[in-house]
Amino acid sequence: MSKYLTTIGEQIRKLREDQGLPLRKVAAKLDIDQSILSKIERGERNASKEQIIQIARIFEVEEKELLINYLSDRVLYDLIGEDLATDVLKVAEEKIKYFTKIRNGK
Amino acid sequence: MSKYLTTIGEQIRKLREDQGLPLRKVAAKLDIDQSILSKIERGERNASKEQIIQIARIFEVEEKELLINYLSDRVLYDLIGEDLATDVLKVAEEKIKYFTKIRNGK
DNA sequence: AATCATTTGGACAATATTTGACCAAATGTA
DNA sequence: TACATTTGGTCAAATATTGTCCAAATGATT
């Protein structure tokens, strides 16, 4: 079972609540309004990559862990309602393999 | 070897050139300026999903074939410069499986 | 070379989307 | 009740997207 089967928003909310911090405090560190953070946690707004990195620092978790969850959510967002979604991801993987192979000299 | 190891733009250009059509003609059918189509083919601009569907009709190819290439390009665009790209795609696939399972009752 | 068709690049305007502040209402808690 | 926290909605500013238009570059033909 992967540890990523949750949205980035849910993950952030859990981190915050586990530390017993109010939106206000965390939002202040991120230099945004608390209502924006509330919306990010509920998936109503999008966080920027920079904000995700700051959040990783604030809660002292691996940047990578949050980024993977964040980016995979964004990828899925592109595919909302597409029944081709699974095929698309497979092709995307092939392309990445192919292009990185090319980049590293044939 | 997959048939998708090309960008959607390259694929469109190939379809057009194989039929010996100028940008002007195809652009007219799409109701956009030829320079825009030129940019789409070279990956400098993005096509809309509706345009991709029209293009499939114009060249009489499977909508699905173009859409998969189109969407996978968009997915990869989100991941430009990310060395986590492969991990992200794997997690995205897991999430899709997971959520569609949820949707279909448990 | 001259001409004509095609393609490309860049400036520009119009439109749409994103981002965040702000504040009031709702909810939770002591 | 009183206080803290969270949420929902409106608004303005900033940014991104989309397409037109036209001139320059490139390619093909005679």
Side-chain angles (χ1 to χ4, degrees), chain A residues 2 69 73 78 93-95, chain B residues 69 73 78 93-95:
Chain A
S2 165
N69 205 5
D73 273 8
D78 287 344
E93 281 196 69
E94 285 180 46
K95 283 184 177 175
Chain B
N69 205 6
D73 272 8
D78 287 344
E93 283 196 67
E94 285 181 47
K95 282 184 179 176

Side-chain angles (χ1 to χ4, degrees), chain A residues 2 4 6 49 64 68-69 71-73 76 78 82 84-85 88-96, chain B residues 2 4-6 49 64 68-69 71-73 76 78 82 84-85 88-96:
Chain A
S2 165
Y4 291 113
T6 178
K49 188 180 169 184
K64 185 177 163 183
I68 288 178
N69 205 5
L71 291 168
S72 61
D73 273 8
L76 292 188
D78 287 344
E82 296 290 345
L84 297 172
V88 169
L89 290 180
K90 288 230 181 329
V91 171
E93 281 196 69
E94 285 180 46
K95 283 184 177 175
I96 282 202
Chain B
S2 164
Y4 291 114
L5 293 180
T6 178
K49 187 179 170 185
K64 186 177 163 181
I68 288 178
N69 205 6
L71 291 168
S72 62
D73 272 8
L76 291 186
D78 287 344
E82 297 289 347
L84 297 172
V88 169
L89 291 180
K90 288 230 183 331
V91 171
E93 283 196 67
E94 285 181 47
K95 282 184 179 176
I96 283 202

Side-chain angles (χ1 to χ4, degrees), chain B residues 13-21:
Chain B
R13 174 150 293 190
K14 179 159 193 321
L15 286 168
R16 182 176 61 80
E17 291 183 337
D18 283 356
Q19 306 225 14
L21 296 170

Side-chain angles (χ1 to χ4, degrees), chain B residues 5 7 12 30 33 40 42 45 53 61 68 92 94-97 99:
Chain B
L5 293 180
T7 67
I12 294 168
L30 291 171
D33 193 87
I40 288 172
R42 288 171 296 123
R45 285 277 183 114
I53 292 171
V61 296
I68 288 178
E94 285 181 47
K95 282 184 179 176
I96 283 202
K97 269 187 218 157
F99 291 129

